[in-house]
Amino acid sequence: MRKKSRGIVILLAVLTIFLLVYAGLRMWNGEQDKKEEEEQEAARVYVTDTPAEDIVSMKISVGNGDLEFEKENGTWYYTPDKDFPLQQSYPEDMAETAGAIEAERELIDGDSLADYGLDEPSYTIEYTDADGSLVQVKFGDMTGDDYYVTVGDQGIVYTVAGTVFDTFNYALNDLAQLDTYPSIGSGNLVKEVITENGVTTTYDSADEEQAEDITAIAGGLGAVTLSETADYSVDDADLPGYGLDGDARTTVEVTYTEDETENVITLYIGTQDGSGNRYVMINDSRIVYLISEEICNNILNI
């Protein structure tokens, strides 16, 4: 019995030593990995070095039209039109990238800026930090998949991966935070009330005689996509131009279920745009959307 107990003790001691050695190796490997990462980071060359949170304005010109943003109280705005519904993730990502553009290499004893297309830059990214310092990154000719780049008047030429543009390569329309539209179909459409020219028409899914109408209406409601816009922040004075003022518009109040709860969404349908669409607004949003006349006709059961 004593022999058996001694054997177990020896096994436990060996296991303990093994675990200690294993833990030590893992710690050593972790420290080596950390050291290697620190060395790699120290070897990197950055064209720009500004924390994203310190950037308060940006001007982007990379081929999709000039974009200009400014930040107030932690919120980004499109400078030419502060009412534009700017999706915050875009300027946040742009500031993150603009403030830490990594160089592929730095050219030592290079030629003149003109030789790299930097005397007349193809693209520019410029930003201002909270202290008012302006940083302008100029992009010249391409070399393989990279661009020649210089910053301000430093005269130093770098190469930067062409993928740096991925974060900035958007047109203004791509940056809009549009309204959310629910999923509506014949299975969850409860009722639709249409008011047009003072006349109200009701379609109720509980009315078996209206089953065919409900199916057609649900098909129209289910086909709506809020992707194409005519105006991002319409003024009341401009509503008549879209046929969306007061009694001129057609009001469609839709009751539907979502997660066993009844919800209501209101669509305001205006005039045609001359290209097969009609102007539409949703609830109290100030965005005017373009929705095909065919879909609108289905919604209105025409």
Side-chain angles (χ1 to χ4, degrees):
M1 191 69 174
R2 285 182 182 175
K3 274 188 182 179
K4 192 173 181 181
S5 297
R6 278 177 72 187
I8 293 173
V9 170
I10 292 171
L11 286 173
L12 288 173
V14 171
L15 179 61
T16 300
I17 293 171
F18 173 78
L19 290 174
L20 289 172
V21 171
Y22 176 72
L25 285 172
R26 285 198 63 183
M27 184 179 297
W28 184 83
N29 285 333
E31 290 175 352
Q32 289 300 111
D33 290 342
K34 183 179 179 182
K35 183 179 178 181
E36 186 176 337
E37 288 176 6
E38 289 174 348
E39 289 175 350
Q40 290 176 349
E41 182 63 30
R44 290 176 175 171
V45 176
Y46 286 93
V47 175
T48 57
D49 185 18
T50 305
E53 59 270 21
D54 290 347
I55 295 177
V56 296
S57 69
M58 295 182 288
K59 290 183 180 180
I60 313 296
S61 178
V62 296
N64 275 328
D66 294 344
L67 298 173
E68 189 172 346
F69 308 103
E70 60 187 77
K71 185 166 64 174
E72 293 183 7
N73 299 320
T75 300
W76 283 100
Y77 296 94
Y78 176 56
T79 303
D81 181 6
K82 294 182 69 173
D83 289 326
F84 178 83
L86 182 63
Q87 190 169 326
Q88 293 297 297
S89 61
Y90 287 106
E92 289 170 356
D93 289 345
M94 289 178 183
E96 191 79 36
T97 300
I101 298 176
E102 184 178 355
E104 295 293 306
R105 64 191 179 99
E106 178 182 338
L107 275 62
I108 306 298
D109 298 326
D111 298 323
S112 68
L113 295 181
D115 292 319
Y116 303 106
L118 289 167
D119 56 333
E120 296 182 4
S122 302
Y123 310 113
T124 58
I125 295 172
E126 116 181 4
Y127 64 81
T128 305
D129 65 19
D131 295 328
S133 298
L134 175 67
V135 176
Q136 185 182 56
V137 185
K138 305 171 186 177
F139 294 79
D141 298 333
M142 290 196 76
T143 170
D145 294 328
D146 299 341
Y147 280 91
Y148 291 115
V149 166
T150 190
V151 179
D153 298 322
Q154 294 178 6
I156 302 172
V157 178
Y158 307 88
T159 60
V160 168
T163 53
V164 73
F165 283 130
D166 293 347
T167 307
F168 306 97
N169 196 20
Y170 296 99
L172 180 61
N173 291 358
D174 300 325
L175 310 182
Q177 177 67 63
L178 303 181
D179 297 298
T180 301
Y181 184 80
S183 176
I184 302 176
S186 55
N188 69 336
L189 176 59
V190 177
K191 183 172 62 175
E192 178 181 88
V193 180
I194 302 171
T195 302
E196 185 174 21
N197 298 323
V199 178
T200 297
T201 304
T202 301
Y203 296 98
D204 196 323
S205 62
D207 187 343
E208 295 181 0
E209 293 184 1
Q210 294 184 326
E212 188 174 335
D213 295 324
I214 288 292
T215 299
I217 290 168
L221 292 168
V224 171
T225 56
L226 305 181
S227 57
E228 191 173 359
T229 61
D231 195 323
Y232 287 106
S233 182
V234 64
D235 294 325
D236 287 343
D238 295 327
L239 288 174
Y242 299 112
L244 289 167
D245 59 315
D247 295 335
R249 65 192 183 188
T250 299
T251 301
V252 181
E253 186 178 276
V254 180
T255 303
Y256 64 98
T257 58
E258 187 174 53
D259 297 329
E260 300 182 357
T261 301
E262 283 197 359
N263 300 282
V264 177
I265 184 171
T266 303
L267 286 73
Y268 301 103
I269 300 177
T271 53
Q272 300 174 359
D273 72 339
S275 299
N277 303 300
R278 292 184 70 172
Y279 300 112
V280 177
M281 294 177 71
I282 307 292
N283 292 333
D284 57 355
S285 171
R286 303 304 297 180
I287 302 175
V288 178
Y289 296 95
L290 291 170
I291 296 177
S292 77
E293 188 171 2
E294 180 181 358
I295 290 175
C296 290
N297 286 343
N298 285 338
I299 292 173
L300 299 173
N301 197 34
I302 298 175

